[in-house]
Amino acid sequence: EDQVTQSPEALRLQEGESSSLNCSYTVSGLRGLFWYRQDPGKGPEFLFTLYSAGEEKEKERLKATLTKKESFLHITAPKPEDSATYLCAVHGQAGTALIFGKGTTLSVSS
Amino acid sequence: ETGVTQSPTHLIKTRGQQVTLRCSSQSGHNTVSWYQQALGQGPQFIFQYYREEENGRGNFPPRFSGLQFPNYSSELNVNALELDDSALYLCASSSDYEQYFGPGTRLTVT
């Protein structure tokens, strides 16, 4: 069964304090691993797609990396506006759905 | 380019009633997926429609049903509402593996 586990559940950072969010996954035939940002009460906003181990993608202060078992979302010098819940999802060969983790809620204080 | 839109934004229903939620897909996308997100959880896959046919279904009972129209917009219907159906309902459109989400409909069942 495809599964995604995210850690930590919550993370509090000071502005400028870099850190990483973890996404561990089990999937039969990875078609893609996706990162989304979700603000309270809103729909998830697409950030990145990673397709194969070793792949990296960057967008502003965010960098996503992928290995055969996990993905990391690195946040460099975060700002308060980066506060949100970050969701990781996988798409496996077995079905058509995205399988989501529960997310990591990031709070950045100034 | 118009993104994914959903209506209504909020809805309050009584247990046992029926509800219809609507979604307009992003221009150029022929696939629509529906997800249910309970508070503090990741989105859970309900079903997917591709070119007006159901193309995959998650672990939801038959009282959750859907439609996709020739313009690729979609409806989610839920019959015999239960209190546990209270959640954020998300629609996502795609043309390949990347799914783009709408703002969601917040359904409250009392």
Side-chain angles (χ1 to χ4, degrees), chain A residues 12-32:
Chain A
R12 292 184 180 273
L13 298 174
Q14 291 290 320
E15 185 172 4
E17 180 186 2
S18 301
S19 188
S20 296
L21 281 54
N22 177 263
C23 170
S24 297
Y25 65 91
T26 304
V27 67
S28 54
L30 181 70
R31 288 182 172 176

Side-chain angles (χ1 to χ4, degrees), chain A residues 31-32 34 36 38 41-46 48-49 51 57 87 91 96-103, chain B residues 33 35 37 40-45 48 55-57 88 90 96-104 106:
Chain A
R31 288 182 172 176
F34 307 87
Y36 291 87
Q38 187 174 29
K42 304 284 182 64
E45 174 190 347
F46 173 80
F48 303 109
T49 307
Y51 291 106
K57 291 209 176 153
L87 294 166
H91 192 304
T96 57
L98 291 182
I99 307 300
F100 281 86
K102 292 184 177 181
Chain B
S33 303
Y35 292 82
Q37 187 176 25
Q41 303 295 315
Q44 297 290 313
F45 176 69
Q48 183 181 87
N55 188 41
R57 189 179 183 92
L88 182 67
L90 296 163
D96 52 27
Y97 297 130
E98 291 180 357
Q99 297 188 12
Y100 295 85
F101 285 83
R106 170 68 63 187

Side-chain angles (χ1 to χ4, degrees), chain A residues 39-61:
Chain A
D39 292 307
K42 304 284 182 64
E45 174 190 347
F46 173 80
L47 292 174
F48 303 109
T49 307
L50 301 167
Y51 291 106
S52 58
E55 191 174 359
E56 298 182 352
K57 291 209 176 153
E58 286 188 66
K59 179 180 179 180
E60 296 180 356
R61 295 178 292 282

